[in-house]
């Protein structure tokens, strides 16, 4: 992994300050696209008998504001961050040696977690690493912005690890805002970064991944640690075939997707 990271850093340093070849659509084009997406989204749900998903895939939006940062870093985006356990594993080199990150070991982390019981712990990580850790507590990771109902897993013994916007545990539900994962990537990463995306979102991956594959700059993600909850019966805006095609498309684009399962949630 060290060799891969260093090799990637060396290649990407040569394009520092450059612009991506992918072009965002103009505002009128995007509005038309969004209207079509939302219309087809509603029609497909009616036809398939799916429950309503909160919003339609938004993978390319001219309103997004890319970072002006030039210095490359490791970027760790943790979807389903819980109390910060995977982030601490990142700092302990479980996702590769942090010292090998670009610019002399520079890094930033975005920690997204919908279960509000962990918000204070993520805030503590931010206090310990100011300007580096960006917690998004009481916020669910998804393919668009909006709000959703989030069901809290009553299993305290396992850190409520099954809490989900896709599974109803029938005990405690809360309403939380949605962060668009694609927008998060578009606005906070540059081509020269080493971007790690950890996805452990209890079924929401079946919506997020097909949408991410539609993002023209999906290659900004270097490695995706994807935990797939195939044993769950969840409603999705996409078919299983579309989900598998999306993964194949991301791999073809250069996104490394190793086999991954985390016991830390």
């Amino acid at each position: 992994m060290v060799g891969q990271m260093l090799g990637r850093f060396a290649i990407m340093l040569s394009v520092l300050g450059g612009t991506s070849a992918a072009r965002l659509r103009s505002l009128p084009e995007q509005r038309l696209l969004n209207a079509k997406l939302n219309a087809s989204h509603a029609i497909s749900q009616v036809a398939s008998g799916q429950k309503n998903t909160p919003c339609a895939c938004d993978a390319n939006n001219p309103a997004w504001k890319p970072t002006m940062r030039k210095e490359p870093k490791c970027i760790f985006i943790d979807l389903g961050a819980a109390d910060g356990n995977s982030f601490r594993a990142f700092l302990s080199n479980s996702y590769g040696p942090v010292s090998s990150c670009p610019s002399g070991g520079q890094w930033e982390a975005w920690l997204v977690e919908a279960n509000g019981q962990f918000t204070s712990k993520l805030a503590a990580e931010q206090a310990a690493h100011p300007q580096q850790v960006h917690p998004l507590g009481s916020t669910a990771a998804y393919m668009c912005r909006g709000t959703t109902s989030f069901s809290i897993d009553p299993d305290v013994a396992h850190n409520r690890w099954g809490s989900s916007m896709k599974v109803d545990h029938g005990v405690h539900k809360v309403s939380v805002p949605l962060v668009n994962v694609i927008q998060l990537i578009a606005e906070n990463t540059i081509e020269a970064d080493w971007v790690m995306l950890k996805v452990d979102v209890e079924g929401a991956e079946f919506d997020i991944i097909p949408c991410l594959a539609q993002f023209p700059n999906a290659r900004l993600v270097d490695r995706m640690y994807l935990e797939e909850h195939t044993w769950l019966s969840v409603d999705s805006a996409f078919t299983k075939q579309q989900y598998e095609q999306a993964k194949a498309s991301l791999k073809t684009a250069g996104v490394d997707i190793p086999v991954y399962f985390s016991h830390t949630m």
Side-chain angles (χ1 to χ4, degrees):
M1 181 179 289
V2 178
Q4 278 186 295
M5 289 175 71
L6 290 175
R8 169 71 170 159
F9 298 156
I11 294 171
M12 289 300 104
L13 282 172
S14 66
V15 297
L16 266 177
T19 57
S20 170
R23 180 182 65 86
L24 291 177
R25 295 180 176 89
S26 68
L27 189 55
E29 288 175 318
Q30 185 61 38
R31 285 173 176 164
L32 178 60
L33 174 65
N34 287 345
K36 290 180 177 178
L37 280 172
N38 282 294
S40 62
H41 174 72
I43 291 170
S44 65
Q45 286 184 334
V46 171
S48 64
Q50 292 177 342
K51 296 178 182 177
N52 287 331
T53 51
C55 46
C57 168
D58 184 5
N60 186 23
N61 195 318
W64 296 345
K65 299 178 181 179
T67 177
M68 300 303 293
R69 173 173 55 84
K70 301 298 182 183
E71 181 184 53
K73 302 179 180 183
C74 279
I75 303 294
F76 185 70
I77 301 175
D78 190 352
L79 310 182
D83 62 1
N85 42 27
S86 293
F87 166 66
R88 292 189 292 276
F90 161 73
L91 289 183
S92 298
N93 303 315
S94 294
Y95 293 87
V98 176
S99 61
S100 295
C101 287
S103 307
Q106 295 297 307
W107 59 268
E108 287 187 65
W110 274 260
L111 310 180
V112 184
E113 173 57 50
N115 189 341
Q117 82 168 74
F118 298 124
T119 298
S120 62
K121 294 184 178 181
L122 298 183
E125 297 292 356
Q126 181 185 39
H129 306 279
Q131 308 303 317
Q132 291 178 290
V133 171
H134 311 279
L136 293 174
S138 298
T139 301
Y142 203 50
M143 61 179 178
C144 46
R145 296 179 65 181
T147 59
T148 191
S149 176
F150 188 80
S151 182
I152 305 298
D153 186 351
D155 186 358
V156 178
H158 291 95
N159 216 17
R160 302 186 189 274
W161 61 0
S163 299
S164 173
M165 63 178 284
K166 288 291 188 175
V167 177
D168 186 357
H169 294 284
V171 180
H172 181 202
K173 290 183 180 180
V174 294
S175 180
V176 297
L178 298 167
V179 62
N180 186 337
V181 175
I182 298 88
Q183 180 179 2
L184 187 65
I185 294 167
E187 293 189 331
N188 296 287
T189 69
I190 61 175
E191 187 71 20
D193 290 332
W194 176 262
V195 179
M196 293 159 279
L197 178 65
K198 194 215 84 177
V199 184
D200 187 2
V201 287
E202 305 302 316
E205 68 270 17
F206 300 117
D207 288 336
I208 294 172
I209 302 310
C211 188
L212 176 62
Q214 297 177 42
F215 177 39
N217 290 334
R219 182 61 184 87
L220 285 170
V221 177
D222 292 285
R223 181 163 295 153
M224 179 164 61
Y225 297 95
L226 173 63
E227 182 166 325
E228 299 178 291
H229 300 81
T230 54
W231 58 91
L232 296 178
S233 178
V234 300
D235 289 319
S236 173
F238 301 93
T239 66
K240 182 178 180 180
Q241 181 180 12
Q242 288 173 321
Y243 174 76
E244 294 298 333
Q245 289 174 340
K247 285 196 298 179
S249 175
L250 289 169
K251 289 179 180 179
T252 299
V255 180
D256 182 29
I257 309 177
V259 175
Y260 178 76
F261 181 81
S262 171
H263 295 278
T264 60
M265 283 293 287

